[in-house]
Amino acid sequence: MGRLQEEGSHPVHGFRLSTVSASRPTETGTTHEPTGLDLAMKLHYLQAVYIYSAETARDLTVRHVKGPLFSVFDQVPWITGRFRRHDSGRPYIKCNDCGTRFVESDCDLTVEEWLRVPDRSIDESLVYHQPVGPELAFSPLIYIQMTRFKCGGLALGFNWAHIIGDPFSLSHFFNLWTRAFAGEKIYCPKTSDLERSFQNPNSTGKKPDSIKRVNPVGDHWVAPNNFKMTTYSFNLTVNDIKSQSPANGNEFEILSGIIWKCIAKVRGESEPTVTITVIRSDPNGLNPRAVRNSQMISSVHVDFSVADANLEEIVKSIGDAKDERFRIDEIVDDVSDFIVYGAKLTFVDLSDVDFYEAVVMGRSPESVYCNVQGIGDDGAVVVLPAVKKEERVVTVTLPEEEMEKVKWEMKKCGLITLVN
Amino acid sequence: MSDFSSSVKLKYAKLGYQYLINHFLTLLLIPIITSISIKLLRMGPEEFINLLNSLHFDLLHVLCSCFLIIFVLTVYFMSKPRTVYLVDYSCYKPPVTCRVPFATFMEHSRLILKDNPKSVEFQMRILERSGLGEETCLPPAIHYIPPTPTMESARSEAQMVIFTAMDDLFKKTGLKPKDIDILIVNCSLFSPTPSLSAMIINKYKLRSNIKSFNLSGMGCSAGLISVDVARDLLQVHPNSNAVIVSTEIITPNYYQGNERAMLLPNCLFRMGAAAILLSNRRSDRWRAKYKLCHLVRTHRGAEDKSYYCVYEQEDKDGNIGINLSKDLMAIAGEALKSNITTIGPLVLPASEQLLFLISLIGRKIFNPKWKPYIPDFKMAFEHFCIHAGGRAVIDELQKNLQLSAEHVEASRMTLHRFGNTSSSSLWYELSYIEAKGKMKRGDRVWQIAFGSGFKCNSAVWKCNRSVKSSEGPWSDCIDRYPVFIPEVVKL
């Protein structure tokens, strides 16, 4: 559960749990084998929240939400399975139709009151977070929370084990739901094991920087942290970003450069942050869309001090990030535990994910939030699209003690305009 | 080789014996008719006319004889019981959103009974050997962790299953709600006020002079008890029809405790309902699917052992559940014996009855050690519908009645696809046989139901017209059946 849910008087309450599965039974003995890249993600969880206004969602009952899920799970039945381990220790999914957990809750605020808060990380309390384990065989991989606001609006929060897919897959999954809800026939092809692996003949044998081995966590898949992490989220316009750098560049790269510089300034010489991880959508755009880990994980290493460097140089280095997926696939073995997000300071570009195409009753969501749970100590920055095309939502997750200083630096740069 | 030839000889001897005894009267009549015809042919036509004249027929004699014959025929037809026809029936198919795969059931069980791993282990073992499949359904309220059985959700389950089955029945038979003369609802464990029959009358706006009955507490055999009540009522009311609704509402009866013997029903009982239209109208004779031939009810409640074997009680924590005793199978076997002793003479051909009589006399008088002769019921029926109470029940009956796997296929497959739907399971089984295209005109069906009390009720139907496989609960999955059901399913 999110941090806020432990308090007694939280506005989100009344959790009723049930299970949703697929409508057709899967053949006995079917399994799904995760790739190396999937296993690298196993200690991370995606949290996504879609909020719909009262006009859109007033008449949507639990049955309306659950019904189309059955059709979607028919297309992707393996995500309703449960993990087991082979004799070698390598986890695999037994496709036994066990289902995903569905949580119903209520919120005492209206959608408007909820969205008035500028720091969107409060959306994390609309997600029922539970890690996989300690009993793999009985841990759902997805938790779906349906929260009814006082005004009749609805929030659908997903807790999605990253091992099954990346944020693009999560968005695709939910878009399939919206289409099934609208009565369309949906189809999601089964991806063969070959389509999910990465072939890169130019292997140099160098260890990847973007992944870090952690102490064994056994069957309780929670990323270990030495620091207490906190999240801060803020909005800004693309113009705000572009105005920071005279050069023409991708706004994500410019934004990442600015924030990297701020964080490097805070961390100072004691922890020179010269390597970062950049996660973006695959430029080759694997088609057709399916549920899998297809995001490009690349690493940027610089030889200069970021805190003092020129923004253009930093942005250029980010542009030259090296794809490390093949190396990650190679290094991940059957039993070791790794983290990717936060192994090094990670920047995640989700600005081209089609979150706002999740149209229900002809209307897009009022707000979409997405973050990663289980980020390592080096922290992560996630850039999301906002309702307005020219805005972005930035979610920064860092150790608590660094956050205020980094916020101060970002305010100095002019990224954060509101006092929060 | 000699074994084979002797067994073939035995088979022919048996066939010869059966043919002789079953057609005894016909075989007796043939020589008599032959001898009379030969004698008549020998007599010339003149002698024949002389014979007739000597009988001294006059008008009075002829008229009195005619009146006597007409009188006897009238009395015969008036006192003959009205034939009860089963026009059609429909079974409820639960929506896929209510589906409960094994893995989901076990996971919920672990979460709800987290302080009782032994009970969870027990449920898992039961489920593995239960003979249920992955498509059985539970009502929405039971999908919650923990289940949320309120009266509201129970009523909503009742409305969902009963109204859907009845709408389907109306569509299939063209029956108008206002034409229903008799309504009988049986639902053992959910009995709200107003009754479920009142709920149906309210929904479909049935006539104010309808004869409605609501049977509750009578267990899984209540479906045939309803048919018995309908049959008796249709003797008294001419030109009427009766609608029977058989169901079991799961929502309020899901056991919430952790006593092992009481957790068993949770593993087996699933959602289901059936609506049946019976009629005694002559006009329905042509379109009715079946004709009711016999209905035999046996009650063993006089014995304490039978009375207590399926007993609803509170456990030590105050949770209400149904306690199934360990000698349930033995008691079921005895109840069955009782029932077939009564139904045997009504349905078995003379050859089997004679053999049984000889074996009975032999055991009583000559040697008690003789093996009791079990009549071959396969000669009396083409199809068997054994209540899908559980795998053990079907195994026991298959053994007792010496049935082949094909005969019990309908019961096993119904248990696999729909679980134990209590009183409506017999109708799902009948629907399976029809969907497989095996039901032909003249086929006889034997429905056997067991229920708390302990009761064994059986009904014999004769197929009135060949049934084409049509829309029903099996229409989308019949091609996958029969499936092989392993002894133990590894979860």
Side-chain angles (χ1 to χ4, degrees):
Chain A
M1 290 210 226
R3 311 162 289 278
L4 296 168
Q5 280 156 341
E6 281 133 31
E7 297 168 17
S9 59
H10 193 267
V12 183
H13 54 80
F15 301 94
R16 295 175 292 284
L17 276 70
S18 55
T19 303
V20 176
S21 187
S23 48
R24 278 193 304 248
T26 309
E27 216 181 285
T28 318
T30 316
T31 59
H32 179 95
E33 301 287 341
T35 61
L37 198 59
D38 291 333
L39 288 177
M41 297 296 174
K42 76 176 191 250
L43 300 183
H44 299 300
Y45 301 85
L46 287 172
Q47 299 192 321
V49 180
Y50 293 77
I51 299 181
Y52 290 91
S53 67
E55 288 82 44
T56 316
R58 205 189 307 274
D59 300 321
L60 256 66
T61 62
V62 173
R63 275 178 63 190
H64 288 127
V65 176
K66 280 186 176 176
L69 281 172
F70 281 87
S71 319
V72 180
F73 286 130
D74 260 356
Q75 298 299 316
V76 208
W78 55 273
I79 58 181
T80 60
R82 293 289 180 269
F83 271 103
R84 299 271 198 272
R85 282 192 193 266
H86 286 301
D87 291 333
S88 63
R90 191 182 179 94
Y92 70 98
I93 297 179
K94 180 171 176 174
C95 303
N96 57 9
D97 295 343
C98 202
T100 64
R101 203 68 78 226
F102 192 90
V103 184
E104 294 161 52
S105 59
D106 300 292
C107 181
D108 297 329
L109 304 173
T110 64
V111 171
E112 221 188 271
E113 288 168 352
W114 189 265
L115 292 178
R116 219 178 281 156
V117 179
D119 184 352
R120 297 312 317 149
S121 60
I122 55 164
D123 279 358
E124 290 186 13
S125 57
L126 294 173
V127 176
Y128 192 86
H129 174 66
Q130 291 283 356
V132 170
E135 275 170 304
L136 288 185
F138 298 103
S139 302
L141 304 174
I142 306 177
Y143 286 80
I144 305 174
Q145 180 170 335
M146 175 175 150
T147 309
R148 176 75 61 186
F149 289 92
K150 197 165 81 167
C151 57
L154 204 60
L156 288 169
F158 294 85
N159 183 71
W160 171 285
H162 210 309
I163 190 171
I164 55 180
D166 55 24
F168 310 97
S169 305
L170 199 162
S171 175
H172 179 60
F173 167 83
F174 189 61
N175 289 351
L176 284 176
W177 177 87
T178 56
R179 281 161 48 198
F181 176 79
E184 281 177 46
K185 265 197 102 61
I186 52 169
Y187 176 66
C188 189
K190 221 177 121 52
T191 47
S192 68
D193 289 335
L194 196 62
E195 282 171 335
R196 290 186 293 127
S197 61
F198 301 93
Q199 306 302 320
N200 185 348
N202 306 325
S203 161
T204 57
K206 190 161 139 334
K207 262 183 51 192
D209 288 319
S210 44
I211 186 172
K212 182 170 95 178
R213 195 188 299 261
V214 296
N215 289 332
V217 295
D219 282 346
H220 195 190
W221 294 357
V222 177
N225 282 103
N226 292 325
F227 306 110
K228 186 162 184 300
M229 306 299 282
T230 179
T231 306
Y232 173 69
S233 170
F234 60 95
N235 276 43
L236 76 175
T237 66
V238 172
N239 279 337
D240 282 341
I241 303 170
K242 288 231 156 101
S243 62
Q244 301 280 333
S245 170
N248 275 333
N250 177 275
E251 61 268 8
F252 168 72
E253 290 170 5
I254 300 170
L255 185 57
S256 307
I258 302 169
I259 300 180
W260 186 4
K261 203 163 166 189
C262 296
I263 294 175
K265 279 196 194 135
V266 169
R267 289 187 182 167
E269 288 307 313
S270 53
E271 313 166 31
T273 315
V274 289
T275 313
I276 61 163
T277 306
V278 175
I279 299 180
R280 316 174 80 155
S281 59
D282 191 324
N284 299 323
L286 289 170
N287 260 318
R289 288 285 288 280
V291 175
R292 58 183 148 202
N293 275 304
S294 64
Q295 74 278 28
M296 184 173 75
I297 305 172
S298 44
S299 183
V300 177
H301 180 81
V302 296
D303 297 319
F304 47 81
S305 158
V306 178
D308 309 315
N310 208 324
L311 185 59
E312 281 81 32
E313 274 188 56
I314 302 173
V315 172
K316 187 164 162 304
S317 318
I318 293 176
D320 293 334
K322 306 265 181 306
D323 187 348
E324 293 208 321
R325 282 178 295 176
F326 186 66
R327 285 193 239 156
I328 293 173
D329 213 41
E330 270 193 328
I331 198 179
V332 169
D333 58 36
D334 294 348
V335 284
S336 303
D337 301 314
F338 298 89
I339 55 167
V340 173
Y341 293 87
K344 297 275 185 305
L345 177 62
T346 307
F347 291 88
V348 187
D349 182 12
L350 299 181
S351 38
D352 51 356
V353 177
D354 50 358
F355 288 123
Y356 287 91
E357 276 173 44
V359 168
V360 172
M361 309 282 268
R363 276 189 272 258
S364 296
E366 302 293 306
S367 150
V368 180
Y369 176 82
C370 184
N371 197 9
V372 179
Q373 232 288 349
I375 295 177
D377 296 324
D378 269 19
V381 175
V382 177
V383 179
L384 296 168
V387 179
K388 298 201 196 85
K389 276 206 154 54
E390 34 338 318
E391 272 188 25
R392 294 285 182 271
V393 178
V394 181
T395 306
V396 180
T397 306
L398 291 169
E400 222 171 14
E401 49 208 36
E402 283 181 5
M403 186 56 93
E404 283 310 311
K405 295 183 215 151
V406 172
K407 270 162 76 169
W408 173 240
E409 287 292 336
M410 289 197 289
K411 237 177 267 182
K412 266 186 6 197
C413 294
L415 284 184
I416 305 178
T417 44
L418 291 165
V419 174
N420 192 355
Chain B
M1 194 57 202
S2 65
D3 266 346
F4 177 68
S5 63
S6 69
S7 77
V8 169
K9 281 194 193 130
L10 192 68
K11 191 171 139 203
Y12 279 116
K14 209 171 167 194
L15 273 173
Y17 159 75
Q18 282 168 359
Y19 203 72
L20 177 70
I21 300 292
N22 291 338
H23 300 96
F24 190 66
L25 282 175
T26 323
L27 292 172
L28 204 62
L29 221 52
I30 289 174
I32 295 176
I33 291 176
T34 336
S35 58
I36 292 179
S37 349
I38 290 173
K39 226 177 165 179
L40 276 176
L41 287 169
R42 283 229 192 99
M43 288 196 299
E46 280 174 19
E47 271 199 49
F48 192 58
I49 292 171
N50 283 341
L51 191 65
L52 280 179
N53 281 335
S54 70
L55 286 175
H56 299 297
F57 280 140
D58 70 15
L59 196 60
L60 193 62
H61 276 142
V62 172
L63 272 176
C64 283
S65 322
C66 282
F67 278 137
L68 187 66
I69 293 171
I70 291 172
F71 180 69
V72 167
L73 280 173
T74 314
V75 168
Y76 171 68
F77 277 114
M78 294 283 289
S79 61
K80 193 169 81 118
R82 284 185 231 270
T83 324
V84 172
Y85 296 103
L86 193 159
V87 179
D88 209 340
Y89 64 98
S90 89
C91 297
Y92 172 70
K93 178 150 174 259
V96 285
T97 51
C98 290
R99 187 183 148 219
V100 181
F102 278 177
T104 315
F105 185 89
M106 280 325 304
E107 195 170 273
H108 281 221
S109 187
R110 285 186 86 260
L111 289 167
I112 298 166
L113 297 172
K114 54 184 182 297
D115 301 322
N116 293 279
K118 283 220 166 82
S119 301
V120 177
E121 188 56 45
F122 174 76
Q123 280 204 310
M124 182 135 96
R125 275 186 279 125
I126 296 291
L127 209 56
E128 282 173 353
R129 292 164 178 74
S130 62
L132 262 68
E134 298 268 5
E135 292 178 87
T136 61
C137 296
L138 282 173
I142 307 298
H143 288 259
Y144 284 89
I145 306 165
T148 54
T150 58
M151 185 143 208
E152 191 55 47
S153 51
R155 275 219 172 95
S156 125
E157 181 196 341
Q159 286 169 350
M160 180 163 73
V161 312
I162 295 176
F163 295 163
T164 312
M166 288 202 70
D167 287 339
D168 195 39
L169 183 69
F170 290 148
K171 204 167 73 151
K172 270 184 171 169
T173 57
L175 177 70
K176 302 256 177 342
K178 291 257 183 278
D179 289 340
I180 302 177
D181 301 306
I182 301 165
L183 175 68
I184 306 173
V185 178
N186 71 272
C187 172
S188 191
L189 293 166
F190 179 53
S191 186
T193 301
S195 65
L196 294 175
S197 56
M199 184 178 88
I200 297 174
I201 293 171
N202 170 263
K203 159 85 176 172
Y204 292 103
K205 315 274 180 270
L206 304 182
R207 288 198 324 252
S208 56
N209 64 350
I210 193 169
K211 293 178 187 36
S212 68
F213 300 85
N214 198 88
L215 300 172
S216 72
M218 301 192 90
C220 301
S221 58
L224 293 182
I225 298 177
S226 304
V227 174
D228 190 34
V229 173
R231 180 183 65 162
D232 289 345
L233 284 167
L234 287 172
Q235 303 307 317
V236 177
H237 299 289
N239 225 25
S240 309
N241 60 28
V243 171
I244 298 174
V245 177
S246 287
T247 183
E248 189 56 71
I249 303 301
I250 312 279
T251 305
N253 305 304
Y254 206 72
Y255 177 58
Q256 312 251 44
N258 49 46
E259 198 64 38
R260 266 180 255 182
M262 292 158 77
L263 281 171
L264 190 57
N266 282 5
C267 298
L268 300 175
F269 280 91
R270 296 289 182 266
M271 254 167 85
I276 302 116
L277 176 61
L278 297 176
S279 164
N280 62 7
R281 294 182 181 153
R282 298 281 297 173
S283 53
D284 286 328
R285 200 169 135 213
W286 308 110
R287 64 178 187 138
K289 270 186 178 169
Y290 301 94
K291 195 171 75 166
L292 179 62
C293 298
H294 306 285
L295 201 143
V296 173
R297 293 168 56 175
T298 315
H299 206 302
R300 307 283 300 174
E303 286 172 10
D304 278 351
K305 209 168 61 142
S306 302
Y307 173 68
Y308 285 106
C309 86
V310 179
Y311 202 72
E312 188 182 15
Q313 60 190 72
E314 274 178 8
D315 67 10
K316 54 179 163 40
D317 301 319
N319 296 304
I320 298 179
I322 300 171
N323 199 333
L324 301 173
S325 100
K326 288 195 173 52
D327 25 55
L328 184 60
M329 283 302 115
I331 292 168
E334 277 173 43
L336 177 72
K337 272 206 201 78
S338 224
N339 192 288
I340 66 181
T341 313
T342 318
I343 205 172
L346 295 172
V347 295
L348 286 169
S351 55
E352 292 296 313
Q353 295 198 41
L354 193 61
L355 277 174
F356 183 70
L357 190 65
I358 291 172
S359 145
L360 194 68
I361 293 172
R363 288 183 65 221
K364 283 268 171 6
I365 297 178
F366 299 122
N367 184 359
K369 285 216 185 73
W370 273 10
K371 245 179 56 186
Y373 177 72
I374 300 169
D376 187 5
F377 280 92
K378 298 195 283 293
M379 295 190 57
F381 303 107
E382 277 73 40
H383 307 288
F384 295 80
C385 290
I386 301 166
H387 167 56
R391 200 186 199 149
V393 171
I394 303 174
D395 288 342
E396 179 75 16
L397 257 75
Q398 187 181 5
K399 197 179 72 178
N400 280 352
L401 298 173
Q402 296 173 335
L403 301 173
S404 72
E406 211 195 306
H407 286 120
V408 294
E409 185 186 304
S411 311
R412 287 202 199 280
M413 296 307 126
T414 299
L415 183 64
H416 184 267
R417 173 64 181 83
F418 294 101
N420 178 350
T421 58
S422 185
S423 42
S424 49
S425 68
L426 296 172
W427 302 105
Y428 285 98
E429 293 171 24
L430 196 58
S431 189
Y432 177 87
I433 299 171
E434 290 179 8
K436 276 282 177 198
K438 291 191 183 153
M439 191 60 78
K440 303 274 177 298
R441 179 155 187 234
D443 280 357
R444 294 154 299 175
V445 185
W446 188 18
Q447 288 184 324
I448 312 172
F450 294 101
S452 59
F454 196 82
K455 302 190 274 290
C456 176
N457 298 332
S458 54
V460 179
W461 303 89
K462 189 161 181 175
C463 184
N464 201 35
R465 59 173 174 86
S466 272
V467 179
K468 275 196 318 285
S469 51
S470 58
E471 278 297 302
W474 294 95
S475 41
D476 64 344
C477 59
I478 192 72
D479 299 319
R480 281 190 268 135
Y481 284 89
V483 289
F484 167 67
I485 304 173
E487 197 59 43
V488 178
V489 174
K490 211 59 210 105
L491 286 182

